[in-house]
Amino acid sequence: MNDKRLGRQTVALAHPPSVLSFANIGGKFEGQGPLADYFDEINPDSFFGEKTWEKAESAMQKTVLQRALQKAELTPGDLDYILAGDLLNQCIGSSFGLRDFRIPFYGLYGACSTMGESLSLASLLIDGGYADRAAALTSSHFCTAERQYRMPVPYGSQRTPTAQWTATASGCTILGSDGPGPYVTHVTCGRIVDKGIADANNMGAAMAPAAYDTLSAFFRDTGYRPADFDLIITGDLGELGHDIVRDFFRQDGVDLGPQFQDCGLLLYDRKHQDMHAGASGCGCSASVLNGYLLRKMREGKWKTILFAPTGALLSPTSSGQGESIPSICHAVRLCAVRE
């Protein structure tokens, strides 16, 4: 077996790729949350200067990639690949937003796990010698997600207590074969997990088993323990999903400790902003990673982070046909120094 592979799902990167730059953008409610100061740009206009919300989401991806390139002092021609996706049908937020850059493009769909998926695949490409620099990015928009998955916003439907608020946000990480760090040292590819949850307004319960499965695989494959990390952070499980994962590990005799957090619990002030169970959407973990988390790593607050965003792989059609919600979680280990 390849000595990079530590198990069925985990790869230890021989030459860990470096974060060259990162950028994020948010909307009105993200600008009112506790992480507002960690955004490169806050735009209170939900249309971002465009005529439709779908075009607005594309504009977010275009802007966030431009920001990340500027911060790295790179041009589009310096990137070997873009890996991106979103929640919209056929990933039109990404393909329409990034079409003018003329950079080799891989369109991805991992639902809200897309930041982890794109970061994983970009890291594997660079470590394997197939790329020198690559951009990993994604986005979500509250209004586009509501229109596609639930009810159009003007309908004014009542939200259940377990519902989460889809972030209007985008985040981009540019990785390179060499750079100042942090570094991606390990990648754990998630498996599709479906425990029969069919309530589209309870994503936390649907995705929690996938988070548990991937985190368990990472610890099993690598030999690391939760105590070895300054922060273990899932993507957007929200309050309910976060508690479920902690309980799963507790049943195994494993205490995830106070370092176990969730991006969906950090992005908003849930009490004062009335966000129910927390945040969700591809842009949730992407904006938290590419603002708060990576900035604090560079400032020395954390040395090692296990970043594990989750995604619900449903569609309006599958929900309408009474299907359950298959989910997935991809994890990457980030270290402030190259080990």
Side-chain angles (χ1 to χ4, degrees):
M1 180 179 286
N2 188 322
D3 59 4
K4 291 183 179 181
R5 296 197 65 88
L6 302 183
R8 174 69 171 164
Q9 295 173 246
T10 305
V11 173
L13 303 184
H15 189 77
S18 169
V19 173
L20 299 182
S21 68
F22 49 90
N24 62 357
I25 183 172
K28 175 182 177 180
F29 292 118
E30 292 69 33
Q32 295 172 351
L35 301 186
D37 291 342
Y38 295 93
F39 279 86
D40 290 290
E41 181 179 329
I42 292 291
N43 192 330
D45 173 19
S46 65
F47 287 98
F48 288 81
E50 301 291 338
K51 293 183 178 180
T52 70
W53 288 317
E54 287 74 18
K55 290 180 181 292
E57 187 163 349
S58 292
M60 282 197 296
Q61 287 213 21
K62 179 179 180 179
T63 299
V64 83
L65 178 58
Q66 290 172 329
R67 284 269 189 161
L69 285 168
Q70 290 168 1
K71 291 167 77 172
E73 298 182 347
L74 298 173
T75 68
D78 294 321
L79 294 182
D80 297 307
Y81 297 102
I82 297 177
L83 299 97
D86 54 81
L87 292 174
L88 301 180
N89 289 334
Q90 290 78 51
C91 291
I92 59 170
S94 303
S95 55
F96 288 11
L98 304 173
R99 58 186 168 183
D100 292 334
F101 287 94
R102 301 189 62 78
I103 301 169
F105 171 76
Y106 280 114
L108 309 175
Y109 187 79
C112 301
S113 73
T114 300
M115 191 67 233
E117 182 180 12
S118 60
L119 200 59
S120 298
L121 292 172
S123 298
L124 293 172
L125 283 169
I126 293 171
D127 182 61
Y130 302 105
D132 187 48
R133 301 184 191 93
L137 67 153
T138 187
S139 65
S140 60
H141 192 296
F142 176 78
C143 297
T144 64
E146 290 298 308
R147 174 148 58 196
Q148 179 164 297
Y149 287 98
R150 285 173 283 272
M151 298 290 183
V153 175
Y155 181 77
S157 59
Q158 184 72 26
R159 298 169 61 233
T160 67
T162 59
Q164 295 169 245
W165 189 274
T166 303
T168 298
S170 181
C172 174
T173 307
I174 294 181
L175 295 177
S177 55
D178 287 294
Y183 303 91
V184 178
T185 66
H186 296 74
V187 168
T188 298
C189 180
R191 303 184 294 188
I192 298 173
V193 179
D194 189 341
K195 295 299 183 180
I197 303 296
D199 183 0
N201 289 303
N202 193 356
M203 293 296 186
M207 295 187 294
Y212 168 70
D213 189 78
T214 296
L215 292 174
S216 297
F218 174 84
F219 293 131
R220 180 176 63 250
D221 291 347
T222 64
Y224 284 116
R225 302 166 301 162
D228 295 325
F229 290 87
D230 299 314
L231 188 66
I232 301 167
I233 188 157
T234 46
D236 50 2
L237 294 178
E239 182 178 28
L240 180 60
H242 181 262
D243 289 345
I244 291 172
V245 172
R246 188 181 290 279
D247 285 343
F248 281 160
F249 276 100
R250 188 176 291 121
Q251 292 173 21
D252 293 339
V254 177
D255 182 6
L256 291 178
Q259 67 269 35
F260 179 47
Q261 297 286 343
D262 184 75
C263 296
L265 296 176
L266 298 178
L267 187 59
Y268 301 124
D269 183 326
R270 292 187 299 125
K271 180 178 179 180
H272 294 99
Q273 291 185 279
D274 189 26
M275 296 306 187
H276 291 40
S280 67
C282 303
C284 172
S285 60
S287 63
V288 174
L289 172 70
N290 289 291
Y292 179 59
L293 300 182
L294 289 176
R295 189 187 303 183
K296 286 299 185 183
M297 285 195 80
R298 282 195 170 172
E299 292 174 357
K301 180 178 177 63
W302 301 301
K303 180 181 178 182
T304 55
I305 288 180
L306 183 57
F307 175 65
T310 53
L313 305 176
L314 79 165
S315 77
T317 301
S318 66
S319 294
Q321 294 175 352
E323 261 284 10
S324 55
I325 303 172
S327 298
I328 198 162
C329 172
H330 300 293
V332 298
R333 178 179 182 266
L334 292 157
C335 187
V337 297
R338 179 173 274 153
E339 298 173 326

